[in-house]
Amino acid sequence: FHIAGHTYSTTMTTLLLIDCQKDFHPKGSLAVPNADKDAERITQFIRQNATSIHRIVATMDSHHPLHIAHPSFWSDGQGNLPAPFTVISMEDVVRGKWIPREDIHQPSARESLLIDHDIILLATSNDGGKFISGDLYRTDEKGNRQLNMKQWCIEYTRRLEAKGKFSLMIWPEHCLVGTEGQTVVRSICDAMMEWSRKTGGSVEWVNKGQNLLTENYSALCAEVPVTKGTSFNYELLESLKTSEKLIMCGQALSHCVQYTVRDIAEHWPKEEMGKLVVLKDCASTIPGFEDASDKFLSDMVSAGVNVETTETLTL
Protein backbone atom coordinates (compact mmCIF):
# COMPACT_ATOMS: atom_id res chain seq x y z
CA PHE A 1 0.00 0.00 0.00
CA HIS A 2 0.99 3.64 -0.42
CA ILE A 3 1.39 6.41 2.17
CA ALA A 4 2.98 9.85 1.76
CA GLY A 5 4.98 8.96 -1.29
CA HIS A 6 6.21 5.60 0.04
CA THR A 7 5.21 2.11 -1.03
CA TYR A 8 4.79 -0.48 1.73
CA SER A 9 4.62 -4.25 1.60
CA THR A 10 1.29 -5.77 2.64
CA THR A 11 3.08 -8.36 4.80
CA MET A 12 4.24 -7.42 8.29
CA THR A 13 7.97 -7.41 8.87
CA THR A 14 9.06 -6.91 12.47
CA LEU A 15 12.59 -6.01 13.56
CA LEU A 16 13.34 -7.18 17.11
CA LEU A 17 16.38 -5.31 18.45
CA ILE A 18 17.74 -7.00 21.56
CA ASP A 19 19.64 -4.85 24.07
CA CYS A 20 21.39 -2.53 21.61
CA GLN A 21 22.64 -0.47 24.53
CA LYS A 22 25.81 1.52 25.14
CA ASP A 23 27.11 -0.63 28.00
CA PHE A 24 27.47 -3.55 25.55
CA HIS A 25 29.46 -1.43 23.09
CA PRO A 26 32.99 0.07 23.15
CA LYS A 27 33.69 2.00 26.38
CA GLY A 28 30.68 0.37 28.01
CA SER A 29 30.98 -1.51 31.30
CA LEU A 30 30.25 -4.87 29.62
CA ALA A 31 31.53 -4.14 26.12
CA VAL A 32 31.18 -6.96 23.59
CA PRO A 33 34.00 -7.11 21.01
CA ASN A 34 32.81 -6.05 17.54
CA ALA A 35 29.49 -4.70 18.85
CA ASP A 36 30.34 -1.33 17.30
CA LYS A 37 30.52 -2.96 13.85
CA ASP A 38 27.22 -4.70 14.53
CA ALA A 39 25.68 -1.34 15.41
CA GLU A 40 26.88 0.13 12.11
CA ARG A 41 25.25 -2.71 10.19
CA ILE A 42 22.00 -2.47 12.18
CA THR A 43 21.87 1.28 11.56
CA GLN A 44 22.43 0.82 7.84
CA PHE A 45 19.90 -2.01 7.68
CA ILE A 46 17.16 0.13 9.24
CA ARG A 47 17.87 3.07 6.97
CA GLN A 48 18.05 1.01 3.79
CA ASN A 49 14.89 -0.97 4.57
CA ALA A 50 12.80 1.60 6.42
CA THR A 51 9.69 1.24 4.28
CA SER A 52 9.88 -2.56 4.39
CA ILE A 53 10.06 -2.67 8.20
CA HIS A 54 6.58 -2.26 9.63
CA ARG A 55 7.34 -2.66 13.30
CA ILE A 56 10.38 -2.20 15.54
CA VAL A 57 10.44 -3.76 19.00
CA ALA A 58 13.46 -2.89 21.14
CA THR A 59 14.32 -4.67 24.38
CA MET A 60 16.21 -2.84 27.12
CA ASP A 61 18.32 -4.52 29.79
CA SER A 62 17.39 -2.49 32.87
CA HIS A 63 19.12 -3.16 36.18
CA HIS A 64 19.62 -1.71 39.64
CA PRO A 65 23.01 -1.75 41.39
CA LEU A 66 21.86 -4.33 43.95
CA HIS A 67 21.02 -7.03 41.44
CA ILE A 68 21.69 -10.70 42.19
CA ALA A 69 24.19 -10.85 39.31
CA HIS A 70 26.08 -7.69 40.34
CA PRO A 71 29.03 -7.54 42.76
CA SER A 72 27.35 -5.24 45.34
CA PHE A 73 24.73 -7.87 46.11
CA TRP A 74 27.42 -10.16 47.61
CA SER A 75 30.42 -10.17 49.94
CA ASP A 76 32.77 -12.77 51.38
CA GLY A 77 32.02 -11.77 54.97
CA GLN A 78 35.22 -9.69 55.13
CA GLY A 79 33.86 -6.79 53.10
CA ASN A 80 35.24 -8.02 49.78
CA LEU A 81 32.94 -8.15 46.78
CA PRO A 82 33.18 -10.82 44.09
CA ALA A 83 35.09 -9.68 41.03
CA PRO A 84 33.18 -9.45 37.75
CA PHE A 85 32.96 -12.83 35.98
CA THR A 86 33.06 -14.75 39.27
CA VAL A 87 30.83 -17.83 39.16
CA ILE A 88 28.81 -18.42 42.34
CA SER A 89 27.51 -21.96 42.81
CA MET A 90 24.81 -23.19 45.15
CA GLU A 91 27.57 -24.83 47.20
CA ASP A 92 29.33 -21.47 47.52
CA VAL A 93 26.18 -19.95 49.03
CA VAL A 94 25.52 -22.91 51.33
CA ARG A 95 29.07 -22.80 52.71
CA GLY A 96 29.10 -19.03 53.07
CA LYS A 97 31.90 -18.41 50.57
CA TRP A 98 29.68 -15.68 49.17
CA ILE A 99 27.02 -14.07 51.34
CA PRO A 100 24.08 -12.06 50.00
CA ARG A 101 23.07 -8.80 51.60
CA GLU A 102 20.24 -9.16 54.10
CA ASP A 103 19.36 -5.44 54.10
CA ILE A 104 17.79 -5.38 50.62
CA HIS A 105 14.35 -3.85 51.01
CA GLN A 106 11.19 -5.40 49.66
CA PRO A 107 9.14 -2.69 47.87
CA SER A 108 5.74 -2.12 49.46
CA ALA A 109 3.78 -1.76 46.20
CA ARG A 110 2.27 -5.09 45.13
CA GLU A 111 3.33 -4.59 41.49
CA SER A 112 6.93 -4.03 42.64
CA LEU A 113 7.28 -7.15 44.78
CA LEU A 114 10.63 -8.87 44.49
CA ILE A 115 8.99 -12.26 44.99
CA ASP A 116 5.36 -13.31 44.60
CA HIS A 117 5.07 -16.40 46.78
CA ASP A 118 2.25 -17.80 44.64
CA ILE A 119 4.52 -17.74 41.58
CA ILE A 120 7.32 -19.42 43.52
CA LEU A 121 4.99 -22.11 44.84
CA LEU A 122 3.71 -22.79 41.33
CA ALA A 123 7.26 -23.26 40.08
CA THR A 124 8.07 -25.40 43.10
CA SER A 125 5.15 -27.73 42.43
CA ASN A 126 6.73 -28.44 39.05
CA ASP A 127 10.16 -28.96 40.59
CA GLY A 128 9.82 -31.64 43.21
CA GLY A 129 7.08 -30.08 45.35
CA LYS A 130 9.23 -28.45 48.06
CA PHE A 131 12.00 -25.96 48.67
CA ILE A 132 15.28 -27.82 48.94
CA SER A 133 16.75 -24.90 50.88
CA GLY A 134 14.03 -24.63 53.53
CA ASP A 135 11.84 -21.71 54.59
CA LEU A 136 12.23 -18.62 52.42
CA TYR A 137 11.01 -16.29 55.15
CA ARG A 138 12.17 -15.23 58.60
CA THR A 139 10.75 -12.97 61.30
CA ASP A 140 12.78 -9.90 62.23
CA GLU A 141 13.12 -8.39 65.71
CA LYS A 142 9.96 -6.32 65.16
CA GLY A 143 7.93 -9.36 64.22
CA ASN A 144 7.82 -8.56 60.54
CA ARG A 145 8.00 -11.37 58.01
CA GLN A 146 11.06 -10.87 55.81
CA LEU A 147 12.57 -12.74 52.91
CA ASN A 148 15.51 -14.86 54.04
CA MET A 149 17.99 -13.73 51.43
CA LYS A 150 20.50 -16.54 51.93
CA GLN A 151 17.80 -19.18 51.64
CA TRP A 152 16.48 -17.54 48.48
CA CYS A 153 19.96 -17.44 46.95
CA ILE A 154 20.46 -21.13 47.74
CA GLU A 155 17.13 -21.86 46.08
CA TYR A 156 17.89 -19.59 43.12
CA THR A 157 21.31 -21.06 42.37
CA ARG A 158 19.91 -24.57 42.79
CA ARG A 159 17.22 -23.88 40.21
CA LEU A 160 19.70 -22.31 37.80
CA GLU A 161 21.98 -25.32 38.03
CA ALA A 162 19.07 -27.76 37.74
CA LYS A 163 18.17 -26.23 34.37
CA GLY A 164 21.64 -27.17 33.15
CA LYS A 165 22.29 -23.94 31.25
CA PHE A 166 24.70 -22.19 33.59
CA SER A 167 25.53 -21.21 37.15
CA LEU A 168 25.19 -17.70 38.53
CA MET A 169 27.70 -15.39 36.84
CA ILE A 170 28.60 -12.07 38.41
CA TRP A 171 28.72 -9.36 35.73
CA PRO A 172 30.11 -5.84 35.90
CA GLU A 173 27.34 -3.42 36.81
CA HIS A 174 25.67 -2.63 33.50
CA CYS A 175 22.59 -0.99 32.03
CA LEU A 176 21.75 0.68 35.34
CA VAL A 177 18.39 2.42 35.05
CA GLY A 178 18.82 6.11 34.27
CA THR A 179 22.49 5.95 33.32
CA GLU A 180 24.10 6.66 29.97
CA GLY A 181 25.05 3.01 29.63
CA GLN A 182 21.42 1.95 29.60
CA THR A 183 20.57 4.07 26.56
CA VAL A 184 20.50 2.78 23.00
CA VAL A 185 23.60 3.30 20.87
CA ARG A 186 23.31 6.72 19.24
CA SER A 187 23.44 5.63 15.61
CA ILE A 188 20.79 2.94 16.09
CA CYS A 189 18.60 5.31 18.09
CA ASP A 190 18.87 7.94 15.35
CA ALA A 191 17.95 5.36 12.71
CA MET A 192 14.91 4.25 14.72
CA MET A 193 13.70 7.83 15.12
CA GLU A 194 14.18 8.43 11.39
CA TRP A 195 12.18 5.25 10.71
CA SER A 196 9.40 6.52 12.95
CA ARG A 197 9.15 9.89 11.23
CA LYS A 198 9.32 8.32 7.78
CA THR A 199 6.79 5.53 8.28
CA GLY A 200 4.43 6.75 10.98
CA GLY A 201 5.37 3.85 13.24
CA SER A 202 6.58 4.10 16.82
CA VAL A 203 9.21 1.93 18.44
CA GLU A 204 7.82 -0.46 21.07
CA TRP A 205 10.03 -0.75 24.15
CA VAL A 206 10.34 -3.87 26.34
CA ASN A 207 12.21 -3.48 29.65
CA LYS A 208 13.72 -6.50 31.36
CA GLY A 209 15.93 -7.15 34.36
CA GLN A 210 14.60 -4.74 36.99
CA ASN A 211 13.72 -7.44 39.52
CA LEU A 212 16.69 -7.73 41.87
CA LEU A 213 16.37 -11.45 42.57
CA THR A 214 16.41 -13.09 39.16
CA GLU A 215 18.11 -12.76 35.77
CA ASN A 216 16.48 -11.96 32.44
CA TYR A 217 18.69 -13.09 29.58
CA SER A 218 15.57 -13.73 27.52
CA ALA A 219 13.24 -10.80 26.86
CA LEU A 220 10.30 -13.17 27.29
CA CYS A 221 10.99 -14.82 30.63
CA ALA A 222 13.31 -14.68 33.62
CA GLU A 223 15.67 -17.58 34.22
CA VAL A 224 13.78 -18.25 37.44
CA PRO A 225 10.35 -16.54 37.38
CA VAL A 226 9.56 -14.93 40.74
CA THR A 227 6.64 -12.62 39.91
CA LYS A 228 3.97 -12.26 37.26
CA GLY A 229 6.16 -9.67 35.55
CA THR A 230 9.10 -12.09 35.31
CA SER A 231 6.98 -15.03 34.12
CA PHE A 232 6.70 -15.91 30.44
CA ASN A 233 5.42 -12.94 28.45
CA TYR A 234 2.79 -14.60 26.28
CA GLU A 235 1.34 -11.21 25.32
CA LEU A 236 4.62 -10.19 23.69
CA LEU A 237 4.98 -13.59 22.03
CA GLU A 238 1.48 -13.47 20.53
CA SER A 239 2.07 -9.98 19.17
CA LEU A 240 5.31 -11.13 17.53
CA LYS A 241 3.45 -14.06 15.97
CA THR A 242 1.48 -11.59 13.82
CA SER A 243 4.69 -11.03 11.83
CA GLU A 244 5.17 -12.56 8.42
CA LYS A 245 8.89 -12.08 8.99
CA LEU A 246 10.51 -11.58 12.41
CA ILE A 247 14.12 -10.38 12.15
CA MET A 248 16.22 -10.57 15.33
CA CYS A 249 19.63 -9.18 16.31
CA GLY A 250 21.44 -7.27 19.04
CA GLN A 251 23.73 -8.05 21.97
CA ALA A 252 25.07 -10.37 22.97
CA LEU A 253 24.70 -13.31 20.61
CA SER A 254 25.90 -15.70 23.31
CA HIS A 255 23.40 -14.55 25.92
CA CYS A 256 20.39 -12.26 25.53
CA VAL A 257 20.02 -12.76 21.78
CA GLN A 258 20.40 -16.51 22.12
CA TYR A 259 17.90 -16.98 24.94
CA THR A 260 15.35 -14.55 23.53
CA VAL A 261 15.42 -16.29 20.16
CA ARG A 262 15.34 -19.75 21.73
CA ASP A 263 12.23 -18.81 23.74
CA ILE A 264 10.52 -17.47 20.63
CA ALA A 265 11.47 -20.47 18.51
CA GLU A 266 10.34 -22.93 21.19
CA HIS A 267 6.84 -21.41 21.18
CA TRP A 268 6.60 -20.64 17.45
CA PRO A 269 4.42 -22.80 15.17
CA LYS A 270 6.73 -25.46 13.71
CA GLU A 271 5.28 -25.05 10.23
CA GLU A 272 6.13 -21.33 10.33
CA MET A 273 9.75 -21.44 11.51
CA GLY A 274 10.83 -19.97 8.18
CA LYS A 275 9.34 -16.65 9.29
CA LEU A 276 12.11 -16.29 11.88
CA VAL A 277 15.41 -14.67 10.91
CA VAL A 278 18.60 -14.17 12.94
CA LEU A 279 21.03 -11.60 11.54
CA LYS A 280 24.34 -13.15 12.56
CA ASP A 281 26.40 -10.15 11.39
CA CYS A 282 24.45 -7.88 13.75
CA ALA A 283 25.23 -9.71 17.00
CA SER A 284 28.52 -10.67 18.67
CA THR A 285 29.71 -13.00 21.40
CA ILE A 286 31.05 -12.33 24.89
CA PRO A 287 34.60 -13.77 24.93
CA GLY A 288 34.71 -17.28 26.33
CA PHE A 289 31.23 -18.16 25.09
CA GLU A 290 32.02 -18.79 21.44
CA ASP A 291 30.95 -22.44 21.61
CA ALA A 292 27.58 -21.41 23.03
CA SER A 293 27.02 -19.03 20.12
CA ASP A 294 28.04 -21.62 17.55
CA LYS A 295 25.71 -24.21 19.05
CA PHE A 296 22.87 -21.69 19.18
CA LEU A 297 23.18 -20.83 15.48
CA SER A 298 23.50 -24.49 14.56
CA ASP A 299 20.41 -25.38 16.61
CA MET A 300 18.42 -22.60 14.97
CA VAL A 301 19.33 -23.76 11.47
CA SER A 302 18.32 -27.30 12.42
CA ALA A 303 15.00 -25.97 13.71
CA GLY A 304 14.27 -24.20 10.43
CA VAL A 305 15.14 -20.64 11.49
CA ASN A 306 16.84 -18.58 8.79
CA VAL A 307 20.32 -17.46 9.83
CA GLU A 308 21.25 -14.62 7.49
CA THR A 309 23.43 -11.54 7.17
CA THR A 310 22.44 -8.03 6.18
CA GLU A 311 23.94 -8.75 2.76
CA THR A 312 22.02 -11.97 2.12
CA LEU A 313 18.62 -10.98 3.54
CA THR A 314 16.21 -9.41 1.06
CA LEU A 315 13.06 -7.61 2.18
Side-chain angles (χ1 to χ4, degrees):
F1 58 94
H2 191 75
I3 297 179
H6 300 293
T7 301
Y8 294 79
S9 169
T10 56
T11 59
M12 170 113 91
T13 295
T14 299
L15 177 62
L16 177 58
L17 298 175
I18 301 164
D19 299 2
C20 297
Q21 295 159 268
K22 290 184 178 179
D23 266 345
F24 299 125
H25 291 73
K27 298 182 181 179
S29 63
L30 187 48
V32 180
N34 301 314
D36 53 338
K37 300 299 182 183
D38 299 331
E40 292 175 8
R41 286 185 283 268
I42 292 170
T43 300
Q44 184 178 34
F45 181 78
I46 295 171
R47 286 175 171 156
Q48 289 181 344
N49 297 283
T51 57
S52 296
I53 298 171
H54 308 100
R55 183 183 181 201
I56 296 179
V57 179
T59 73
M60 297 281 284
D61 217 24
S62 304
H63 296 306
H64 298 283
L66 298 180
H67 184 264
I68 197 167
H70 283 169
S72 296
F73 189 95
W74 301 89
S75 76
D76 63 357
Q78 306 298 318
N80 302 306
L81 308 184
F85 308 107
T86 297
V87 174
I88 295 180
S89 68
M90 184 185 81
E91 189 66 20
D92 291 336
V93 185
V94 170
R95 293 187 175 184
K97 179 178 179 179
W98 294 111
I99 304 168
R101 294 176 64 138
E102 288 286 354
D103 62 346
I104 292 175
H105 302 303
Q106 170 90 332
S108 57
R110 176 70 181 177
E111 62 273 16
S112 300
L113 288 177
L114 296 179
I115 282 185
D116 183 329
H117 200 61
D118 291 339
I119 300 292
I120 293 296
L121 286 176
L122 177 64
T124 302
S125 67
N126 297 324
D127 187 26
K130 64 179 181 178
F131 294 114
I132 301 302
S133 55
D135 191 358
L136 285 180
Y137 295 91
R138 59 181 174 81
T139 301
D140 65 16
E141 63 277 3
K142 296 181 179 179
N144 298 316
R145 190 167 179 254
Q146 300 286 344
L147 185 67
N148 184 324
M149 202 59 69
K150 179 176 179 178
Q151 294 292 69
W152 167 247
C153 289
I154 292 171
E155 185 67 19
Y156 180 74
T157 49
R158 181 188 72 80
R159 293 191 187 201
L160 275 186
E161 292 166 18
K163 292 175 73 174
K165 285 162 52 174
F166 38 65
S167 297
L168 174 63
M169 169 76 78
I170 301 302
W171 301 104
E173 287 188 356
H174 62 280
C175 298
L176 298 183
V177 176
T179 66
E180 182 74 10
Q182 191 210 10
T183 61
V184 174
V185 171
R186 184 77 260 169
S187 64
I188 296 177
C189 186
D190 287 345
M192 290 194 297
M193 299 306 107
E194 292 167 13
W195 168 85
S196 180
R197 297 185 187 100
K198 188 172 187 177
T199 67
S202 292
V203 176
E204 301 165 47
W205 301 95
V206 178
N207 290 310
K208 64 183 183 69
Q210 291 196 57
N211 190 294
L212 304 181
L213 300 184
T214 189
E215 298 165 275
N216 261 96
Y217 291 110
S218 169
L220 281 90
C221 189
E223 293 305 310
V224 177
V226 294
T227 62
K228 182 178 179 181
T230 58
S231 299
F232 197 92
N233 190 340
Y234 285 100
E235 182 178 0
L236 174 58
L237 175 70
E238 291 305 315
S239 76
L240 294 175
K241 282 184 178 179
T242 64
S243 308
E244 284 299 315
K245 192 183 294 291
L246 175 58
I247 304 166
M248 298 166 283
C249 60
Q251 299 306 332
L253 181 66
S254 50
H255 287 78
C256 295
V257 173
Q258 173 181 186
Y259 293 113
T260 297
V261 175
R262 283 190 184 276
D263 271 352
I264 291 172
E266 181 180 346
H267 293 84
W268 201 264
K270 300 308 177 187
E271 67 276 10
E272 297 181 0
M273 296 298 281
K275 293 182 177 181
L276 302 179
V277 180
V278 176
L279 288 180
K280 66 179 181 179
D281 65 336
C282 293
S284 292
T285 296
I286 293 175
F289 293 91
E290 291 81 5
D291 289 346
S293 292
D294 291 343
K295 185 177 189 307
F296 160 59
L297 293 177
S298 176
D299 288 348
M300 291 303 97
V301 170
S302 297
V305 174
N306 295 295
V307 176
E308 303 265 9
T309 69
T310 51
E311 293 183 351
T312 62
L313 180 63
T314 301
L315 297 185

